[in-house]
Amino acid sequence: MKDEKEKQKHVRLVLVPSPFQGHLNPMIQLAATLKSKGFLITIAQSTKLNSPNSSDHPQFDILPMEDKLSDEDMSSSDKTGLVLLLNENCKAPFQDCLSKLIQLDEIVCIIYDEISYFAQAAAYNLKIPSILFRTTNAITFLVRSSPAFRLRAEGRLPLPGSSKAIICNTMTCLEDSSLTQFQKQNQVPIFAIGPLHKRVPVSLSTPCCFLEEDKSCITWLDKQTINSVIYICTGSIVTNSKKDIAEMAWGLANSRQPFLWVFRPGSVHGSKWIEALPEGFVESVGERGCIVKWAPQREVLGHEAVGGFWSHCGWNSILESICEGVPLLCRPGFGDQKVTARFVSEVWRVGLQLDTEMERGEIEKAVKRLMVDEQGKEMRKRAMEFKLKAELEIREGGSSYNALNDLVEFIYSF
């Protein structure tokens, strides 16, 4: 028995994230979760594109790999092209790094992000078991709207069946039927172990933020009444036109609702920051509005003053919002976000979806419906019900709790 325990203490996993904020954070959360189960964790990271700070994650070993990207490559708006280039550039360097690491330590398994598929090829060549990690939901596997499907249709993205298993950052209380269909379409075990962000405290899975979080917004929230504030954050990639921002701004102003707006530098074409806002807007809202470059989102959504979330519908944001019982105002950007937004508004019924065309009058009405009207109160009630279900999922006996234990046993079986 002692030998078996000692063996488990030295089981090393290599995790390969995709270097985009919405992908990095759940991988870091997965790493922290597996670390808590006794695994040794090495994280492979590209050397240039959005590399997480190793000093923020001292509990993990870092495996740097050369990505050979130019400044022009990294600033490209063609994210699909960037993903293809990254996979091409990293394939050989990752395999070389892995070969050297194998000589020093036994690697039991490689867990890689779905769009960092170069890792699967290296694992196959070196005869190391691999597990695919999906940072989004099961629904988007079942429809053909995400960039991953385009890549797979072109034969550039390996089928999940080429891995030993699939890990999903989702939960059965949201996606029971979708997970059942997902399992039917794949001949490998699927482990739905989400919501990962609720498994480990922020201190043990420091989020990868490419902008400094402005925590002064928490002080501002402390002065607001319960459920009165709408929080606006459209993610780390989405950009907007000045016209859309003007309609958005005046719609918020006319709603008379307090708001916390994450206005990311560079999020408006041709502008650096809030000079993109319409003239007179900041003065007209006064203390009713708080505008920051970036916010500690988990802390914001957990604050009692926040009663709604205007979101681009990235999956991490959806999970974080639902797990705090906060209903959503959805304006999806691209890919899987559009599918997720439809489920938020039509299936789970914890949010409203804005029209594609931004118009201040419609925005004003939507904000009031979400924050004040009876419809919004019903959505908040359903969101709170999902919050309680999510908490039960990760507790002993819950489906996510059991799936994580099954995953651990599955890895130890290699």
Side-chain angles (χ1 to χ4, degrees):
M1 188 61 131
K2 182 178 178 181
D3 289 343
E4 185 63 24
K5 287 183 178 179
E6 287 300 315
K7 180 182 178 182
Q8 290 183 358
K9 288 180 181 178
H10 293 87
V11 172
R12 180 170 296 278
L13 310 177
V14 175
L15 274 59
V16 187
S18 174
F20 302 100
Q21 185 160 321
H23 291 253
L24 271 170
N25 283 329
M27 186 65 90
I28 295 295
Q29 292 157 5
L30 175 63
T33 299
L34 293 173
K35 178 76 173 179
S36 72
K37 292 294 183 179
F39 293 106
L40 300 176
I41 304 293
T42 293
I43 297 179
Q45 66 176 45
S46 57
T47 53
K48 290 183 181 177
L49 183 61
N50 299 337
S51 297
N53 191 334
S54 58
S55 63
D56 289 336
H57 310 286
Q59 70 273 43
F60 310 132
D61 295 321
I62 302 298
L63 183 68
M65 58 184 175
E66 179 57 54
D67 54 35
K68 302 176 185 176
L69 295 176
S70 66
D71 292 340
E72 184 179 354
D73 293 332
M74 290 187 286
S75 61
S76 172
S77 60
D78 179 10
K79 299 307 177 188
T80 300
L82 180 57
V83 167
L84 293 173
L85 182 60
L86 190 69
N87 275 277
E88 182 62 32
N89 289 0
C90 288
K91 183 187 289 186
F94 177 65
Q95 184 161 324
D96 289 343
C97 290
L98 212 55
S99 298
K100 293 173 183 176
L101 185 60
I102 290 172
Q103 296 174 17
L104 302 174
D105 201 354
E106 181 184 3
I107 299 172
V108 171
C109 180
I110 293 172
I111 300 175
Y112 66 97
D113 187 291
E114 180 177 31
I115 62 174
S116 290
Y117 53 86
F118 64 87
Q120 197 279 328
Y124 178 82
N125 292 337
L126 296 173
K127 297 180 171 54
I128 302 171
S130 64
I131 295 176
L132 182 147
F133 177 45
R134 300 200 80 240
T135 59
T136 187
N137 48 45
I139 300 160
T140 52
F141 184 87
L142 304 174
V143 295
R144 298 183 179 275
S145 63
S146 69
F149 270 104
R150 260 173 43 215
L151 294 173
R152 193 174 287 120
E154 295 169 3
R156 301 177 189 243
L157 192 64
L159 292 171
S162 60
S163 299
K164 290 286 186 183
I166 302 171
I167 300 170
C168 293
N169 185 24
T170 190
M171 43 191 179
T172 57
C173 68
L174 287 177
E175 296 203 278
D176 193 18
S177 60
S178 296
L179 283 165
T180 299
Q181 293 179 60
F182 188 32
Q183 180 65 80
K184 286 180 180 178
Q185 294 185 24
N186 294 277
Q187 304 304 309
V188 297
I190 293 173
F191 302 98
I193 65 171
L196 281 167
H197 75 278
K198 297 295 285 186
R199 289 191 171 280
V200 287
V202 175
S203 59
L204 295 180
S205 61
T206 305
C208 297
C209 297
F210 305 143
L211 287 169
E212 184 178 353
E213 294 176 342
D214 185 344
K215 299 201 178 224
S216 67
C217 63
I218 302 299
T219 303
W220 180 84
L221 285 173
D222 291 340
K223 301 173 184 176
Q224 311 305 314
T225 56
I226 293 175
N227 289 336
S228 66
V229 175
I230 181 167
Y231 167 59
I232 305 110
C233 181
T234 56
S236 58
I237 295 177
V238 173
T239 56
N240 299 277
S241 67
K242 282 190 176 182
K243 179 181 180 298
D244 280 352
I245 288 296
E247 295 301 311
M248 189 173 175
W250 290 122
L252 285 168
N254 296 340
S255 75
R256 308 300 298 174
Q257 204 68 32
F259 63 86
L260 167 57
W261 191 350
V262 172
F263 201 85
R264 195 183 78 250
S267 61
V268 178
H269 302 294
S271 298
K272 291 183 178 180
W273 196 38
I274 58 173
E275 73 276 6
L277 290 168
E279 186 176 352
F281 167 71
V282 174
E283 293 77 12
S284 71
V285 296
E287 291 297 313
R288 187 159 45 84
C290 178
I291 303 172
V292 297
K293 293 180 179 179
W294 201 250
Q297 182 161 290
R298 286 175 61 180
E299 192 174 353
V300 167
L301 289 171
H303 198 286
E304 65 177 7
V306 174
F309 180 13
W310 179 329
S311 173
H312 66 304
C313 291
W315 186 236
N316 295 326
S317 290
I318 297 301
L319 282 180
E320 289 168 4
S321 193
I322 289 177
C323 285
E324 296 298 341
V326 177
L328 294 122
L329 191 58
C330 304
R331 188 170 189 256
F334 55 87
D336 62 312
Q337 297 168 11
K338 296 180 179 180
V339 179
T340 303
R342 180 58 61 90
F343 270 72
V344 166
S345 59
E346 304 296 330
V347 180
W348 304 321
R349 295 185 301 137
V350 293
L352 301 170
Q353 187 162 352
L354 283 167
D355 293 334
T356 303
E357 292 296 323
M358 299 283 271
E359 195 279 317
R360 66 189 67 184
E362 292 302 314
I363 290 171
E364 177 187 350
K365 290 177 187 176
V367 170
K368 288 179 178 178
R369 284 169 64 196
L370 182 74
M371 301 299 296
V372 180
D373 293 353
E374 196 61 35
Q375 184 180 5
K377 292 176 183 177
E378 288 297 318
M379 288 186 290
R380 188 169 298 112
K381 180 181 176 182
R382 283 190 287 272
M384 286 300 298
E385 290 170 355
F386 276 119
K387 175 184 178 180
L388 295 175
K389 289 177 181 179
E391 290 170 353
L392 290 174
E393 292 231 1
I394 61 176
R395 290 181 188 171
E396 186 173 358
S399 61
S400 180
Y401 178 95
N402 293 335
L404 177 59
N405 286 340
D406 290 343
L407 172 63
V408 170
E409 290 301 315
F410 183 77
I411 294 173
Y412 280 140
S413 72
F414 292 155

